[in-house]
Amino acid sequence: MERRKFLQILGKGFFVSSFSGVFPTAAFGKTAFDYALEGQNFLQNGAYHKAIEVLLKAVEMDSESDWAYGLLGRSYRALHKEAEAVDAFRKAVRLNPEDVYSRMMIEMITQKPVPRLQKETEPLTPLEIKARKEEADILASLESDEELTYKVKRVVIDAGHGGFDSGAVGRNGLKEKDVTLDLARMLHQKIENEGKIKPFLTRTDDYYVPLSDRTTIANQFQADLFISIHVNASKNRSAQGSETYYCSETASNREAARVASLENSVLKYDEPIKAKEGYIDIEEILFRFEQRLNWKESGVFASTFQKRIEEKLPLKSRGVNAANFFVLRRARMPSILLEIGFISNSDDEFRLGQRTFRQRIVDSVAWGL
Ligand SMILES: [Zn+2]
């Protein structure tokens, strides 16, 4: 469904009933769209129970309406029905992976972070949120050029892969996606307990998040650091140890290029980033500029970090390398990717399967931060 278009039309004050032919029609003449619209009005007027009643009708008639599911999530949330809210937001995200608002709501409800963005009244539509965010980002990128040395206050931890994308799989069946999720959760817990840095996760369970969405989440949380956690794999079964990567246009060596192409391989399932045609995109130019600074900072950070964790990490250090990792490309903050051990090495696979070993890794990574 062309939800954005409809919201734009709504925003411009056009009368919408002439579009109702596009939507599945009910026996009594009311369409799924009508119900969703009614739900939105109830929601805006604080009549949450009524909103839920009509929104349930809307999704029953049109199970593809991410818009209705998003509204349903917000109505449930207003009534503190967290489980139902998360369920509705998940459906919205599944139908429309670009729905960053619903995604953020899932993260907020499941982790209860305090987002910096919502100081004023809550914005009404995902479009409005996006517009406000874009505006704030442009202003921030113009103002904050003194922020070249930084303190990490907010970190987004990304558990590589998930859902249908298992990542690399070891000979004894250990899956990269499960190791990364566990390590990410443990690291999140540890950092949270220490209380010095505010941690966030890009995924909290075994589901797939497109690569570009992972950095979008980091940007949304206005993190100062993005860490993507992975486990390496190689045809050479004796390869083992850990490496820290940062993003650059060109790979620092052939091995780094191989690792990047392995991690980027899932990209074929993601929607391409749509290029805007016909005009010079000022924001894109600013972004490229900012990107250069971030990559430079990432390199400095990666070296310091790797040197520090070498002292405690229970794995051989393979040093720092750079390559073009898609998951890091659009981050508006320094970002690194950790390849912790080799799942293709039976020693590493065995140890990575063990809780105590994972805890040692997490402890050294947290210490490295
Ligand atoms: Zn990976």
Side-chain angles (χ1 to χ4, degrees), residues 161 176 230-231 263:
H161 312 276
E176 181 182 357
H230 289 260
V231 181
E263 300 298 0

Side-chain angles (χ1 to χ4, degrees), residues 159-161 165-168 176-177 180 228-233 259 262-264 325 337-339:
H161 312 276
D165 172 24
S166 304
E176 181 182 357
K177 66 167 183 179
T180 60
S228 189
I229 298 177
H230 289 260
V231 181
N232 214 335
V259 173
L262 187 76
E263 300 298 0
N264 291 343
F325 289 94
L337 185 142
L338 305 181
E339 290 284 358

Side-chain angles (χ1 to χ4, degrees), residues 90-366:
R90 285 224 167 105
K91 280 177 182 139
V93 171
R94 217 167 289 149
L95 290 162
N96 176 15
E98 277 180 57
D99 189 345
V100 284
Y101 181 81
S102 293
R103 194 178 289 287
M104 204 167 85
M105 294 312 286
I106 296 169
E107 295 298 317
M108 278 171 62
I109 297 169
T110 52
Q111 298 180 46
K112 302 200 188 306
V114 187
R116 259 196 236 164
L117 275 174
Q118 300 189 344
K119 268 177 250 158
E120 319 141 17
T121 52
E122 203 183 30
L124 298 177
T125 64
L127 246 179
E128 269 184 64
I129 294 173
K130 218 175 158 188
R132 285 190 195 187
K133 171 86 180 83
E134 271 168 16
E135 193 184 21
D137 278 349
I138 294 170
L139 287 175
S141 67
L142 289 173
E143 281 165 13
S144 67
D145 56 357
E146 83 281 5
E147 280 290 314
L148 283 179
T149 54
Y150 60 95
K151 258 185 248 156
V152 177
K153 284 186 194 144
R154 299 157 72 89
V155 60
V156 166
I157 306 159
D158 173 45
H161 312 276
F164 72 86
D165 172 24
S166 304
V169 181
R171 256 193 289 192
N172 292 312
L174 188 67
K175 288 177 185 155
E176 181 182 357
K177 66 167 183 179
D178 296 329
V179 180
T180 60
L181 178 62
D182 199 35
L183 287 174
R185 277 185 182 152
M186 288 165 76
L187 183 60
H188 179 269
Q189 189 66 54
K190 175 148 179 97
I191 293 175
E192 183 113 293
N193 290 346
E194 285 175 352
K196 281 179 247 161
I197 303 172
K198 181 75 197 147
F200 302 93
L201 291 165
T202 54
R203 69 176 175 101
T204 51
D205 215 328
D206 184 18
Y207 50 86
Y208 179 68
V209 181
L211 295 184
S212 58
D213 285 20
R214 296 173 190 249
T215 32
T216 303
I217 292 168
N219 295 343
Q220 287 258 341
F221 283 126
Q222 305 193 353
D224 318 291
L225 180 69
F226 177 74
I227 302 184
S228 189
I229 298 177
H230 289 260
V231 181
N232 214 335
S234 170
K235 277 191 184 128
N236 171 12
R237 302 245 181 228
S238 62
Q240 58 185 138
S242 93
E243 249 161 319
T244 302
Y245 283 93
Y246 64 97
C247 199
S248 73
E249 287 301 346
T250 50
S252 51
N253 57 46
R254 208 190 286 173
E255 170 65 8
R258 184 195 68 82
V259 173
S261 78
L262 187 76
E263 300 298 0
N264 291 343
S265 63
V266 74
L267 207 57
K268 57 181 175 285
Y269 301 110
D270 295 357
E271 258 185 68
I273 289 175
K274 287 154 205 138
K276 293 169 202 153
E277 281 170 30
Y279 64 95
I280 300 166
D281 190 340
I282 303 288
E283 203 196 347
E284 189 62 23
I285 295 168
L286 288 171
F287 175 77
R288 291 272 162 78
F289 176 71
E290 199 188 308
Q291 197 178 40
R292 296 268 167 281
L293 296 177
N294 281 329
W295 288 359
K296 215 173 113 200
E297 285 286 295
S298 301
V300 176
F301 183 86
S303 310
T304 319
F305 175 79
Q306 182 72 14
K307 251 181 228 135
R308 214 173 135 91
I309 62 167
E310 266 170 22
E311 297 167 31
K312 290 203 174 183
L313 197 70
L315 284 162
K316 187 183 130 195
S317 169
R318 297 169 61 93
V320 174
N321 274 298
N324 197 344
F325 289 94
F326 193 83
V327 69
L328 305 179
R329 270 195 83 86
R330 309 276 316 167
R332 308 190 89 120
M333 77 271 322
S335 53
I336 55 171
L337 185 142
L338 305 181
E339 290 284 358
I340 296 169
F342 280 72
I343 213 159
S344 50
N345 175 277
S346 39
D347 265 3
D348 277 8
E349 184 188 7
F350 174 74
R351 293 194 293 167
L352 283 168
Q354 302 198 305
R355 186 86 191 166
T356 47
F357 187 71
R358 289 181 187 177
Q359 191 61 55
R360 283 173 68 198
I361 291 172
V362 165
D363 290 350
S364 55
V365 172

